[in-house]
Amino acid sequence: TRSQAEQACSNDYNSYKKMYTIVLQALVDHDGYFCDVFSGIPGSVNDRRVFRMSGLGKTLAVIALSVGSVGKFVLADNGYNLRVFMLVGHGTTLDAAECAANDMIDKTRYVVENAFGRLKARFRRFKHLNCEIKH
């Protein structure tokens, strides 16, 4: 509950929106199915760090070091770093090619947004979870 979060390390779980949150990172495939989920990190931790801490992030980093690019990529928003295995949109578009790349990334990310929309619609309880924080 909110009062429990206020009592136990409230600054750690306080997101940039000033709400008590726990991060959920998920990998969704091109069909909108969840392939990997990582959660439990306090809301104050940024996306890049959450990814580095996750099993997926560690595995992809090892593969990238040993093999390099394998022709498959993770699409991510601007909260992540551009990596050999990760496509991130251009923050400021400079030419037509970067505009086209941003459009493709945005269109593909709708699959992810729709997957999360279905998850939230099916499990409305996720919006208001009562949980206890243990250290």
Side-chain angles (χ1 to χ4, degrees):
T1 63
R2 186 176 178 129
S3 61
Q4 289 171 334
E6 288 172 358
Q7 293 171 6
C9 303
S10 62
N11 288 336
D12 291 342
Y13 289 88
N14 206 0
S15 71
Y16 71 96
K17 293 181 179 180
K18 304 299 180 209
M19 296 172 58
Y20 298 100
T21 58
I22 296 172
V23 174
L24 174 100
Q25 172 192 276
L27 179 69
V28 177
D29 71 6
H30 63 282
D31 290 322
Y33 293 104
F34 288 88
C35 303
D36 186 80
V37 176
F38 178 69
S39 68
I41 302 299
S44 63
V45 178
N46 69 40
D47 293 343
R48 291 179 186 129
R49 184 166 180 213
V50 171
F51 184 73
R52 282 193 313 266
M53 295 169 66
S54 71
L56 176 67
K58 291 174 184 175
T59 301
L60 290 176
V62 168
I63 291 170
L65 284 174
S66 61
V67 179
S69 177
V70 292
K72 295 183 181 181
F73 302 96
V74 174
L75 291 181
D77 63 22
N78 291 334
Y80 294 85
N81 291 332
L82 182 63
R83 308 274 304 264
V84 173
F85 53 80
M86 188 175 293
L87 295 177
V88 179
H90 298 279
T92 306
T93 55
L94 301 174
D95 59 24
E98 290 176 345
C99 253
N102 277 354
D103 288 345
M104 275 181 37
I105 290 170
D106 289 345
K107 287 177 185 174
T108 306
R109 283 188 47 215
Y110 284 124
V111 174
V112 176
E113 292 171 11
N114 288 338
F116 273 99
R118 287 191 308 275
L119 180 72
K120 289 179 186 177
R122 182 164 176 143
F123 300 101
R124 293 186 185 273
R125 185 70 179 140
F126 282 154
K127 188 165 176 115
H128 304 285
L129 289 177
N130 292 326
C131 57
E132 182 179 332
I133 300 170
K134 294 183 181 181
H135 296 286

